[in-house]
Amino acid sequence: DAGVIQSPRHEVTEMGQEVTLRCKPISGHNSLFWYRQTMMRGLELLIYFNNNVPIDDSGMPEDRFSAKMPNASFSTLKIQPSEPRDSAVYFCASSLGDVGRGTEAFFGQGTRLTVV
Amino acid sequence: AQSVTQLDSQVPVFEEAPVELRCNYSSSVSVYLFWYVQYPNQGLQLLLKYLSGSTLVKGINGFEAEFNKSQTSFHLRKPSVHISDTAEYFCAVSPYGNKLVFGAGTILRVKS
């Protein structure tokens, strides 16, 4: 398996524009996570899905952020409108089972988003 | 709420020297503990985990960690580091459910 695949790897956009980040989890994994990494706040869990259903979105910063998982092999994280403070590295991760019980979470290489 | 404190933001060390990266957690209940590593421009990968049993846990690449319940610590150690160990290391706990809470990270810089 190629691992968790994220696209694009880098995104530069202007403030106010819509941004869509994409993730393909490892085939067969039933949990998917979106994390954001910044210098100031470290790694934050934004949302996670189990069997394509959003379970916990308490980390989503505000209504400008939305995430979907239309099927087991694809998820998107959308920011509309984007703001400079959204600049960060966004990671997608997937797992087969409960990461809180020891199942390994496999991370993609991340999308570095810069909003100017 | 559970939290994780990594006491050092950066740790410089010479090649072949031992290293310890410190991690303390706050919890009133039993937790599961993890160390993940992030190499430059990569995602995170699991180094080792403590779920139960022996308090000394061995992971990949020669790393090990010791769970100390009384001190609420889970420090990561390696007896002899290599240049290739240069990376950022994250301690994490699982509060409940399918979630991981990460510490701020410790950058390990191995010098020749």
Side-chain angles (χ1 to χ4, degrees), chain A residues 69-88:
Chain A
M69 192 165 186
N71 57 62
S73 59
F74 184 66
S75 177
T76 59
L77 178 68
K78 185 181 292 186
I79 308 172
Q80 181 185 20
S82 57
E83 297 182 2
R85 60 191 168 124
D86 302 330
S87 297

Side-chain angles (χ1 to χ4, degrees), chain A residues 28-94:
Chain A
H29 282 192
N30 59 354
S31 293
L32 183 138
F33 310 83
W34 282 101
Y35 282 89
R36 178 172 67 176
Q37 185 179 36
T38 61
M39 291 290 289
M40 292 297 294
R41 301 175 67 90
L43 267 166
E44 303 172 277
L45 177 64
L46 300 178
I47 185 171
Y48 79 88
F49 295 82
N50 193 46
N51 294 321
N52 312 338
V53 176
I55 303 300
D56 186 343
D57 65 355
S58 59
M60 295 285 264
E62 49 197 274
D63 291 346
R64 297 184 298 106
F65 285 69
S66 62
K68 294 182 179 179
M69 192 165 186
N71 57 62
S73 59
F74 184 66
S75 177
T76 59
L77 178 68
K78 185 181 292 186
I79 308 172
Q80 181 185 20
S82 57
E83 297 182 2
R85 60 191 168 124
D86 302 330
S87 297
V89 180
Y90 291 81
F91 287 103
C92 177
S94 71

